[in-house]
């Protein structure tokens, strides 16, 4: 093959040497991105008053789950002894994998679905068959030419765009599935939630809605299950526990709840307050689960002596300790603000909230934790998060059309109603309220904030004269709810102050590709010394969807190249010259006879030489391969000499004539 000017198998082999390591490295990174990103659920601290560990130790404990390394105890009799493996620390009993706004698109974004396939061809046919009316034949021909132009510049491109869009939907589904599947395998969550906007639009037909729901359950969250209706309960004073938070096993997870997906309704699923109706809510609940419900999980006490410290109306009435319990509230907050299209559905939401408040434990008691899952974030002033306050209303009936956040009044319902906090120190429980955290989506950029109210603020009433110099008015300065970024509030020591009750709100960044394929990791654990629940949140981004596409395209072509190279090797064993066949095939494809004339007889001689054929010179004598190579070398030397002499202006014929003339002159003399 060395005699061929180009070897396809050699080129393929060199390409694989370059791209195979790159493809392998990118594939390993893609399928182990949580490992390279050091993603892990926050780890409860060793000491009760220490912060949670979100760094090395949390990552190390997650690695141990996959390596199955048993803990090596330290020899207490030897103070200098150290364990060969770091002793395992218990994980949080409640670990929530939070995903926001997948927004599955569908046929409504595909041109051929709403325009049809080659619609201008149909229009052209109607014009040519006189199924349309025109003022004259000239106008009919004019319209026909327009349709012909639109066929090439619209129909063809719309068809190509439709195929590209369908392929993009398919890839996006598996991109989102990769995030969920890989993180679920790596981080080992006990529970999973999707915080609204499961689909891309609420204005789709029922067929389209259920097709996207099918993709949701069979592609993106394959293996997942909706929360059963008999498990998703309405709040009540006498309730059954949803389950127990396991404290045993290396990952202390439940095989039932690790498969269930806690879905939250979003505005792209059922609409805003001015859009929500019974049809939209009914089909969402049919496919994804109820829109308003609660779950209650109890944490068994490992130290049995602590049960004697629990509140009991007869035996221990002075205790403020309750059995550790985590209350998970799933709430549709899209119709909290008014005006709403359906007052009945809005009343149902407010009735649910009132039941949550009325069935909650008194704020004086400790041991209960409230986790609220919603879609629309609480109110924040402009500049705190990416989304600023925004409210728009429908022109035809004045109902709420769109909102970025809840109103201030609706937000106070969360803070003062569900969580029981107050700005007055004389309120029950000193206004500290119940321990909890709020998770939501909607703002694709994400935001981590701390809502608080300063109880030490002194309310004042002052007389202020009107600007026009008229009557005096009373201006009241009251305590108001404030909000800051969580890191800033932590830096200013606002968290944990006795005179500043507050709660953390995490708006989970979207898992869509343009927002980095983000996921939230929430850990909640119980501190037996303080008899309170504590929570910590971390993030784990995978990267944009372009990385997923590049890696899989590269893997495809590398595998294809390896298969072709292996096939060429197998064919070589059977005496098939793959290089020769490929080159001849390319010659026929590229140029046929013209290509062969352009290359001349040199390529044919190379092929004959490679086969070991013997050639004959012009005198009919047989020559072996080495002689042919020597002749070719001599020919190349002669051609170089001819070019050099031509460049100097002397040709071989002129040189011979000049030498003959010199000899003649010499003989005459």
């Amino acid at each position: 093959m060395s005699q061929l000017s180009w070897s396809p198998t050699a080129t393929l082999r060199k390409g694989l040497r370059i791209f195979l390591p790159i493809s392998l490295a990118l594939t390993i990174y893609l399928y182990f991105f949580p490992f390279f990103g050091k993603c892990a659920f926050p780890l409860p601290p060793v000491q009760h008053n220490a912060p949670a560990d979100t760094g090395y130790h949390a990552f190390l404990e997650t690695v141990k789950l996959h390596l199955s390394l048993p803990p090596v105890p330290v020899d207490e009799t030897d103070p200098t002894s150290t364990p060969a493996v770091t002793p395992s620390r218990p994980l949080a009993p409640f670990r929530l994998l939070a995903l926001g706004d997948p927004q599955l698109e569908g046929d409504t974004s595909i041109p051929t679905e709403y325009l049809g396939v080659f619609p201008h061809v149909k229009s052209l046919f109607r014009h040519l068959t006189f199924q349309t009316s025109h003022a004259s034949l000239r106008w009919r021909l004019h319209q026909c030419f327009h349709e012909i132009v639109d066929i090439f510049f619209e129909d063809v491109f719309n068809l190509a765009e439709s195929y590209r869009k369908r392929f993009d939907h398919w890839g996006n589904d598996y991109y989102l599935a990769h995030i969920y599947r890989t993180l679920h395998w790596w981080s080992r969550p006990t529970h999973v939630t999707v915080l609204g906007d499961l689909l891309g639009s609420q204005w789709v037909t029922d067929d389209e809605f259920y097709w996207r729901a099918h993709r949701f359950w069979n592609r993106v969250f394959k293996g997942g299950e909706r929360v059963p209706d008999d498990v998703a309960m309405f709040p009540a004073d006498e309730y059954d526990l949803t389950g127990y938070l396991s404290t045993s096993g290396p990952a202390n997870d439940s095989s039932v709840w690790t498969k269930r997906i806690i879905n939250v309704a979003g505005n792209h699923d059922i609409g805003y307050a001015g859009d929500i109706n019974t049809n939209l809510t009914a089909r969402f609940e049919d496919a994804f689960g109820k829109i308003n419900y609660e779950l209650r999980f109890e944490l068994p006490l490992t130290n049995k002596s602590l049960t004697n410290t629990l509140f009991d109306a007869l035996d221990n009435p002075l205790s403020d300790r309750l059995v550790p319990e985590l209350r998970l509230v799933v709430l549709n907050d899209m119709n909290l603000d008014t005006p709403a299209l359906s007052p009945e559905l809005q009343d149902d939401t407010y009735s649910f909230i009132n039941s949550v408040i009325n069935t909650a434990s008194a704020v004086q008691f400790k041991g209960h934790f409230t986790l609220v899952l919603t879609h629309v974030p609480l109110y924040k002033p402009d500049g705190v998060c990416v989304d600023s306050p925004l409210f728009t209303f429908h022109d035809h009936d004045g109902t709420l059309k769109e909102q970025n956040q809840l109103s201030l009044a609706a937000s106070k319902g969360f803070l003062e109603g569900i969580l029981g906090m107050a700005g007055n120190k004389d309120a029950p429980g000193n206004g500290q309220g119940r321990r909890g955290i709020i998770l939501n989506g909607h703002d694709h950029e994400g935001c981590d904030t701390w809502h608080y109210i300063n109880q030490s603020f002194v309310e004042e009433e002052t007389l202020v004269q009107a600007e026009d110099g008229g009557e005096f008015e009373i201006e009241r300065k009251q305590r108001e709810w404030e909000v800051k970024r969580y890191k800033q509030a932590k830096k200013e020591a606002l968290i944990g102050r006795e005179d500043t009750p507050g709660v953390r709100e995490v708006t989970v960044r979207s898992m869509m590709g343009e927002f980095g394929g983000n996921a939230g990791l929430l850990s909640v654990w119980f501190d037996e010394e303080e008899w309170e629940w504590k929570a910590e949140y971390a993030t784990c981004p995978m990267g944009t969807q372009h990385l997923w596409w590049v890696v899989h395209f590269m893997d495809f072509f590398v595998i294809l190249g390896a298969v072709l190279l292996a096939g060429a090797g197998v064919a070589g064993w059977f005496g098939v010259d793959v290089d020769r066949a490929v080159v001849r095939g390319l010659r026929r494809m590229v140029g046929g006879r013209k290509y062969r004339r352009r290359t001349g007889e040199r390529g044919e001689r190379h092929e004959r030489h490679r086969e070991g054929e013997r050639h004959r010179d012009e005198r009919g004598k047989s020559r072996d391969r080495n002689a042919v190579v020597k002749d070719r070398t001599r020919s190349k030397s002669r051609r170089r000499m001819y070019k050099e002499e031509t460049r100097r202006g002397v040709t071989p014929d002129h040189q011979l004539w000049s030498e003959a003339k010199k000899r003649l002159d010499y003989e005459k003399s």
Side-chain angles (χ1 to χ4, degrees):
M1 190 63 211
S2 59
Q3 299 298 323
L4 281 176
S5 59
W6 173 63
S7 171
T9 56
T11 303
L12 183 59
R13 190 179 297 109
K14 292 178 181 178
L16 286 176
R17 288 174 182 173
I18 297 173
F19 289 102
L20 179 59
I22 299 174
S23 175
L24 185 62
L26 290 177
T27 303
I28 292 174
Y29 171 80
L30 183 67
Y31 282 85
F32 293 91
F33 77 88
F35 173 82
F36 294 102
K38 296 183 179 180
C39 299
F41 279 100
L43 194 65
V46 178
Q47 299 179 354
H48 72 93
N49 57 353
D53 194 329
T54 59
Y56 169 75
H57 292 289
F59 172 71
L60 180 62
E61 295 302 326
T62 305
V63 173
K64 289 179 181 179
L65 293 177
H66 298 275
L67 298 179
S68 300
L69 294 176
V72 179
V74 181
D75 186 3
E76 297 181 357
T77 60
D78 184 6
T80 61
S81 66
T82 57
V85 179
T86 305
S88 295
R89 289 166 53 179
L91 303 179
F94 183 86
R95 303 184 302 280
L96 180 68
L97 174 59
L99 304 168
D101 304 85
Q103 290 193 6
L104 300 187
E105 293 186 357
D107 292 346
T108 54
S109 61
I110 299 176
T112 55
E113 289 296 323
Y114 54 84
L115 295 176
V117 180
F118 284 97
H120 291 95
V121 173
K122 300 174 184 177
S123 299
L124 177 62
F125 178 77
R126 288 195 298 270
H127 294 319
L128 294 176
T129 56
F130 294 88
Q131 298 180 27
T132 58
S133 59
H134 293 279
S136 63
L137 179 61
R138 181 172 64 88
W139 279 106
R140 183 177 297 277
L141 294 176
H142 173 81
Q143 191 63 36
C144 289
F145 281 114
H146 268 289
E147 299 293 348
I148 293 173
V149 172
D150 291 339
I151 289 172
F152 291 98
F153 287 93
E154 289 188 11
D155 290 355
V156 172
F157 287 98
N158 285 338
L159 182 64
E161 174 64 14
S162 298
Y163 281 114
R164 187 201 68 82
K165 201 68 177 176
R166 290 182 187 277
F167 187 60
D168 181 67
H169 289 172
W170 176 84
N172 184 69
D173 287 351
Y174 285 103
Y175 164 78
L176 299 174
H178 178 76
I179 297 173
Y180 164 70
R181 182 176 58 249
T182 307
L183 269 174
H184 195 280
W185 160 77
W186 171 258
S187 63
R188 301 288 292 273
T190 59
H191 298 77
V192 181
T193 183
V194 181
L195 297 165
D197 281 358
L198 284 62
L199 310 182
S201 174
Q202 70 273 31
W203 303 119
V204 295
T205 63
D206 290 345
D207 292 339
E208 174 65 16
F209 176 87
Y210 283 107
W211 165 240
R212 297 192 193 188
H214 173 80
R215 290 163 48 200
F216 182 91
W217 290 116
N218 294 277
R219 284 186 188 173
V220 182
F221 295 95
K222 187 176 183 180
E225 304 171 358
R226 67 189 288 274
V227 178
D229 292 343
D230 58 341
V231 176
M233 302 301 295
F234 193 84
D237 292 323
E238 299 293 334
Y239 57 88
D240 294 328
L241 287 172
T242 306
Y244 293 90
L245 299 177
S246 176
T247 57
S248 61
N252 56 37
D253 50 7
S254 169
S255 59
V256 175
W257 280 100
T258 53
K259 296 179 181 179
R260 289 176 176 170
I261 310 294
I262 304 171
N263 293 313
V264 179
N267 58 285
H268 286 298
D269 303 318
I270 61 175
Y272 292 102
D275 308 324
I276 299 176
N277 56 44
T278 55
N279 177 57
L280 296 178
T281 56
R283 70 184 187 182
F284 179 87
E285 291 186 332
D286 179 52
F288 302 107
K290 293 181 179 180
I291 59 175
N292 292 313
Y293 62 93
E294 74 166 8
L295 304 171
R296 288 180 180 259
F297 299 94
E298 184 178 305
L299 179 68
L301 294 174
T302 56
N303 189 351
K304 299 301 180 182
S305 62
L306 295 175
T307 57
N308 299 326
T309 65
L310 298 177
F311 170 81
D312 188 275
L314 297 177
D315 299 334
N316 196 6
L318 299 180
S319 175
D320 61 350
R321 292 186 171 186
L322 299 176
V323 177
E325 187 177 292
L326 188 147
R327 189 185 199 187
L328 194 152
V329 178
V330 178
L331 174 63
N332 164 35
D333 64 349
M334 260 84 65
N335 59 356
L336 292 182
D337 289 305
T338 56
L341 176 65
S342 174
E344 294 80 9
L345 292 175
Q346 189 177 54
D347 291 342
D348 291 343
T349 301
Y350 276 104
S351 175
F352 173 78
I353 293 176
N354 291 332
S355 298
V356 171
I357 297 172
N358 295 331
T359 58
S361 60
V363 293
Q364 297 93 329
F365 290 97
K366 298 179 180 179
H368 283 194
F369 186 86
T370 304
L371 170 60
V372 183
L373 303 179
T374 65
H375 181 65
V376 179
L378 273 60
Y379 172 82
K380 304 172 192 67
D382 188 12
V384 176
C385 297
V386 175
D387 281 355
S388 302
L390 171 69
F391 289 87
T392 60
F393 302 90
H394 289 288
D395 295 331
H396 61 281
D397 59 0
T399 56
L400 185 60
K401 179 181 179 181
E402 183 182 4
Q403 63 183 133
N404 283 347
Q405 303 169 358
L406 296 178
S407 63
L408 180 59
S411 301
K412 289 179 66 176
F414 275 81
L415 303 171
E416 299 179 2
I418 297 177
L419 297 173
M421 293 182 289
N424 187 0
K425 288 184 178 180
D426 298 329
N430 298 325
Q432 293 296 318
R434 306 175 186 88
R435 288 292 180 97
I437 189 171
I438 302 171
L439 262 64
N440 46 48
H442 195 57
D443 185 348
H444 297 166
E445 295 289 345
C447 197
D448 192 355
T449 56
W450 179 258
H451 296 263
Y452 66 97
I453 188 167
N454 188 1
Q455 294 178 337
S456 62
F457 179 81
V458 179
E459 296 184 348
E460 298 178 352
E461 292 185 359
T462 56
L463 289 175
V464 179
Q465 190 176 15
E467 295 181 359
D468 57 358
E471 299 179 355
F472 285 86
E473 298 177 352
I474 298 177
E475 185 181 80
R476 294 182 175 86
K477 293 184 178 180
Q478 300 178 338
R479 300 185 188 96
E480 296 181 352
W481 284 96
E482 302 177 63
V483 59
K484 289 187 177 181
R485 289 271 188 166
Y486 184 76
K487 289 185 178 180
Q488 182 181 0
K490 198 172 182 180
K491 184 178 181 180
E492 297 178 7
L494 295 174
I495 301 172
R497 286 174 51 176
E498 295 183 357
D499 61 346
T500 311
V503 66
R504 186 177 185 180
E505 179 199 16
V506 178
T507 300
V508 179
R509 186 178 173 89
S510 173
M511 69 182 300
M512 290 188 289
E514 58 185 304
F515 298 97
N518 185 74
L521 305 172
L522 175 70
S523 292
V524 184
W525 66 94
F526 188 71
D527 189 332
E528 292 183 349
E529 293 194 26
E530 294 186 12
W531 209 258
E532 288 288 7
W533 290 85
K534 295 183 178 181
E536 188 55 72
Y537 177 81
T539 60
C540 183
M542 192 205 82
T544 63
Q545 72 274 27
H546 305 101
L547 173 64
W548 187 90
W549 282 109
V550 168
V551 171
H552 286 90
F553 270 117
M554 186 174 291
D555 288 348
F556 172 78
F557 286 112
V558 166
I559 292 173
L560 179 63
V563 171
L564 293 176
L565 189 61
V570 172
W573 280 97
F574 291 94
V576 178
D577 192 342
V578 177
D579 285 335
R580 182 179 180 184
V582 171
V583 170
R584 285 184 174 179
L586 290 176
R587 285 176 179 174
R588 295 191 188 98
M589 290 172 57
V590 177
R593 295 179 179 177
K594 182 185 292 186
Y595 183 84
R596 286 194 293 272
R597 285 198 303 269
R598 189 166 58 248
T599 54
E601 298 178 355
R602 191 166 114 196
E604 297 179 3
R605 287 203 305 270
H606 285 182
E607 293 179 12
R608 289 198 299 270
H609 293 167
R610 181 184 177 278
E611 295 172 0
E613 295 179 358
R614 299 176 63 83
H615 301 272
R616 298 180 177 277
D617 59 7
E618 61 278 4
R619 293 174 296 178
K621 293 183 179 180
S622 175
R623 299 187 299 168
D624 59 9
R625 188 170 180 177
N626 293 331
V628 173
V629 173
K630 289 180 181 179
D631 285 350
R632 287 177 54 210
T633 305
R634 268 191 230 101
S635 299
K636 289 182 180 179
S637 301
R638 291 194 192 100
R639 284 196 296 270
R640 283 197 299 268
M641 184 171 55
Y642 179 81
K643 289 180 181 179
E644 179 64 22
E645 292 173 347
T646 304
R647 186 179 62 82
R648 288 184 296 149
V650 180
T651 63
D653 294 338
H654 293 163
Q655 188 174 2
L656 290 174
W657 173 253
S658 176
E659 291 177 357
K661 189 176 180 181
K662 287 180 180 179
R663 282 198 300 272
L664 246 123
D665 293 342
Y666 176 77
E667 290 175 357
K668 288 181 179 179
S669 62

